[in-house]
C-alpha cells in the first residue's frame, strides 16, 4: 500500500529487479539526483572489488600450478610414480581438506562438466587453502624423507585435515561451502588477454 493525498491509500505491485537491471537503470538515470549518484558509487565499488578478486584468483591459480609441480616431484620421490597413484595421492589431500570428499565429489558438488578443472572454479579463499595444502605437503614429504606411497597418501590426508581444522577454529566457511565463482580462471585469462594493448 502507498500513501496518497488526503490520507488515501492505494495498493501497487512490487517489482523485483535483477542486479543487472538495477545497473542499467542507474547508468541511464540523471547522475545529479542523489540516489543515482549513490548507485553509481555502489556499482563502481562492486566492479573494483570484483577486479581485485579476479586478480587474486589468477595469481593464486598460477602459484598452485607451480607448486603442484613441486608436489608431484616430492610425491614421485616418495614412490608415487604412476598416474593412477598420483590421482589417489591427490584425492587423499582433497579428502582431508574437504571432509572426506574426493576430487570427483567436489567436481559434482560444484556442478562442473567433466572437462572442467575444479581448481579453475574456486574463489581466492578456496584456492589459498589448496595452495597451503600443496606447499605444506611438499615440504613435509621432503623434510621427513617419506619413501612409500602409503605414507605419502597419509601425509597428504593429515595435512589437508589439519588445514580444515584450522579453518573451523577460525570460524570460517568450509572449502566445499564457499561459493563457486561465475567466471572460470580460463575465462578470466581470456578477458585479461583482450585487455592487453596490441604491440
Amino acid at each position: 500500500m502507498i500513501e496518497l493525498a488526503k490520507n488515501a491509500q492505494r495498493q501497487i505491485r512490487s517489482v523485483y529487479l535483477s542486479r543487472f537491471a538495477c545497473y542499467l537503470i542507474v547508468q541511464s538515470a540523471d547522475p545529479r539526483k542523489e540516489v543515482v549518484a549513490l548507485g553509481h558509487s555502489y556499482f563502481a565499488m562492486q566492479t573494483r572489488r570484483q577486479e581485485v578478486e579476479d586478480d587474486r584468483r589468477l595469481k593464486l591459480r598460477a602459484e598452485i600450478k607451480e607448486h603442484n609441480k613441486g608436489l608431484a616431484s616430492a610425491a614421485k620421490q616418495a614412490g608415487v610414480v604412476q598416474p593412477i597413484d598420483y590421482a589417489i595421492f591427490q584425492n587423499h589431500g582433497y579428502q582431508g581438506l574437504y571432509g572426506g570428499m574426493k576430487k570427483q565429489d567436489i567436481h559434482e558438488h560444484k556442478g562442473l562438466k567433466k572437462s572442467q578443472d575444479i581448481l579453475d572454479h574456486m574463489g581466492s579463499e578456496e584456492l589459498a587453502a589448496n595452495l597451503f595444502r600443496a606447499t605444506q605437503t611438499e615440504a613435509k614429504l621432503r623434510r621427513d624423507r617419506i619413501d612409500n606411497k602409503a605414507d605419502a597418501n597419509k601425509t597428504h590426508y593429515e595435512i589437508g585435515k589439519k588445514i580444515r581444522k584450522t579453518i573451523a577454529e577460525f570460524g570460517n566457511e568450509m572449502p566445499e561451502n564457499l561459493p563457486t565463482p561465475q567466471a572460470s580462471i580460463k575465462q578470466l585469462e581470456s578477458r585479461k588477454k583482450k585487455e592487453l594493448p596490441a604491440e
Side-chain angles (χ1 to χ4, degrees), residues 136-149:
Q136 295 310 297
T137 302
E138 178 190 354
K140 186 156 179 65
L141 290 176
R142 292 189 193 283
R143 185 179 59 249
D144 294 356
R145 291 187 166 86
I146 292 171
D147 61 359
N148 65 82
K149 288 186 280 192

Side-chain angles (χ1 to χ4, degrees), residues 14 18 27 30-31 39 42 53 55 81 85-87 114 116 118 134 139 141 145 150 167 176 184 189 191:
S14 291
S18 69
Q27 291 303 92
D30 184 352
Y42 168 80
E53 168 66 5
D55 286 344
V81 179
D85 294 333
Y86 190 70
K114 283 186 178 180
Q116 294 174 309
I118 58 172
L141 290 176
R145 291 187 166 86
I167 292 168
E176 66 273 15
S184 72
E189 287 170 342
R191 272 188 222 158

Side-chain angles (χ1 to χ4, degrees), residues 29-79:
D30 184 352
R32 294 173 295 184
K33 294 185 176 168
E34 185 182 358
V35 70
V36 176
L38 287 170
H40 281 200
S41 295
Y42 168 80
F43 283 110
M45 283 186 344
Q46 291 301 317
T47 300
R48 180 66 189 135
R49 225 178 251 151
Q50 190 60 53
E51 286 170 355
V52 168
E53 168 66 5
D54 291 349
D55 286 344
R56 204 177 284 141
R57 285 180 64 210
L58 287 166
K59 286 174 187 163
L60 284 165
R61 183 65 180 102
E63 278 190 63
I64 288 177
K65 278 182 186 171
E66 235 9 78
H67 284 286
N68 271 344
K69 291 175 190 172
L71 179 60
S73 169
K76 190 173 184 179
Q77 288 177 347

Side-chain angles (χ1 to χ4, degrees), residues 63-188:
E63 278 190 63
I64 288 177
K65 278 182 186 171
E66 235 9 78
H67 284 286
N68 271 344
K69 291 175 190 172
L71 179 60
S73 169
K76 190 173 184 179
Q77 288 177 347
V80 180
V81 179
Q82 299 301 320
I84 186 67
D85 294 333
Y86 190 70
I88 291 166
F89 170 75
Q90 281 289 48
N91 264 336
H92 276 81
Y94 285 126
Q95 284 177 290
L97 183 58
Y98 287 82
M101 294 174 82
K102 294 181 178 179
K103 185 176 181 179
Q104 186 176 340
D105 301 325
I106 300 164
H107 203 270
E108 288 171 11
H109 184 72
K110 289 180 173 289
L112 302 176
K113 296 175 187 168
K114 283 186 178 180
S115 61
Q116 294 174 309
D117 188 328
I118 58 172
L119 290 166
D120 288 342
H121 295 269
M122 293 181 181
S124 62
E125 189 177 341
E126 191 175 359
L127 283 167
N130 279 281
L131 176 61
F132 193 49
R133 172 188 53 77
T135 58
Q136 295 310 297
T137 302
E138 178 190 354
K140 186 156 179 65
L141 290 176
R142 292 189 193 283
R143 185 179 59 249
D144 294 356
R145 291 187 166 86
I146 292 171
D147 61 359
N148 65 82
K149 288 186 280 192
D151 285 346
N153 291 342
K154 184 180 176 191
T155 298
H156 204 181
Y157 175 81
E158 289 299 327
I159 286 174
K161 190 175 175 182
K162 284 182 181 176
I163 293 169
R164 182 179 180 84
K165 185 180 176 197
T166 302
I167 292 168
E169 285 170 1
F170 285 136
N172 293 331
E173 199 66 62
M174 290 296 111
E176 66 273 15
N177 297 327
L178 290 167
T180 302
Q182 287 184 336
S184 72
I185 293 293
K186 286 180 175 42
Q187 288 170 320
L188 295 181

